[in-house]
C-alpha cells in the first residue's frame, strides 16, 4: 500500500493514496495504515489522485475511517478524484457523505 503523508495548514493530515485500485485486494492494508496515521490528528484530507477504481470494500474502508474520525469529532475530506471514481461516488450518493474537493488546497482550506 502506497500512502504518503504530511501535515498542512492548521494540523490537517494530508494522505496521498498512490494505488490504482482500492478494493478487496488491498483494503486491509489500507485500513491498517490509515488507522495508524489518524491516531493523533482528527482533520484528514485523502488525496485520491491516482485511484482509478474503488469497489464496495474500498467504499466500506473509507466509511469506516470517517466513522472513526467522527467519533473523535474529526472528519475526512476527499480530493482530486478521477472522473470514474467521482461518478461512482455520485451514483452511490457518497458525495453526500464525504466532503469532496477538486484540489488538496481546497480540501485543506475547508477546515479553516
Amino acid at each position: 500500500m502506497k500512502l504518503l503523508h504530511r501535515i498542512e495548514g492548521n494540523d490537517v493530515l494530508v494522505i496521498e493514496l498512490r494505488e490504482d485500485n482500492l478494493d478487496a485486494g488491498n483494503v486491509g492494508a489500507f485500513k491498517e495504515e490509515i488507522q495508524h496515521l489518524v491516531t493523533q490528528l482528527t482533520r484528514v484530507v485523502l488525496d485520491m489522485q491516482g485511484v482509478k477504481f474503488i469497489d464496495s470494500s474500498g467504499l466500506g474502508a473509507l466509511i469506516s475511517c470517517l466513522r472513526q474520525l467522527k467519533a473523535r469529532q474529526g472528519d475526512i475530506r476527499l480530493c482530486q478524484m478521477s472522473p470514474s471514481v467521482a461518478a461512482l461516488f455520485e451514483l452511490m450518493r457518497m458525495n453526500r457523505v464525504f466532503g469532496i474537493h477538486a484540489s488538496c488546497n481546497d480540501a485543506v482550506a475547508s477546515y479553516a
Side-chain angles (χ1 to χ4, degrees), residues 16-104:
E16 299 176 20
L17 175 57
R18 296 297 177 237
E19 295 284 336
D20 289 340
N21 302 319
L22 182 58
D23 57 20
N26 63 6
V27 75
F30 172 79
K31 286 174 74 172
E32 184 177 312
E33 287 197 40
I34 287 286
Q35 287 178 350
H36 174 72
L37 290 173
V38 302
T39 56
Q40 300 296 321
L41 299 171
T42 58
R43 297 185 297 174
V44 177
V45 170
L46 183 60
D47 177 350
M48 302 179 64
Q49 186 173 359
V51 180
K52 297 179 180 107
F53 174 77
I54 296 180
D55 70 1
S56 60
S57 59
L59 284 173
L62 292 174
I63 291 169
S64 175
C65 291
L66 178 64
R67 285 184 179 153
Q68 177 185 0
L69 288 163
K70 291 280 189 184
R72 297 183 2 236
Q73 284 71 50
D75 199 6
I76 186 168
R77 316 266 165 94
L78 310 177
C79 67
Q80 301 197 129
M81 287 184 169
S82 69
S84 59
V85 171
L88 172 69
F89 270 69
E90 287 181 31
L91 178 68
M92 301 300 294
R93 300 194 194 273
M94 289 290 109
N95 58 332
R96 295 179 180 182
V97 176
F98 291 95
I100 299 174
H101 301 270
S103 72
C104 279

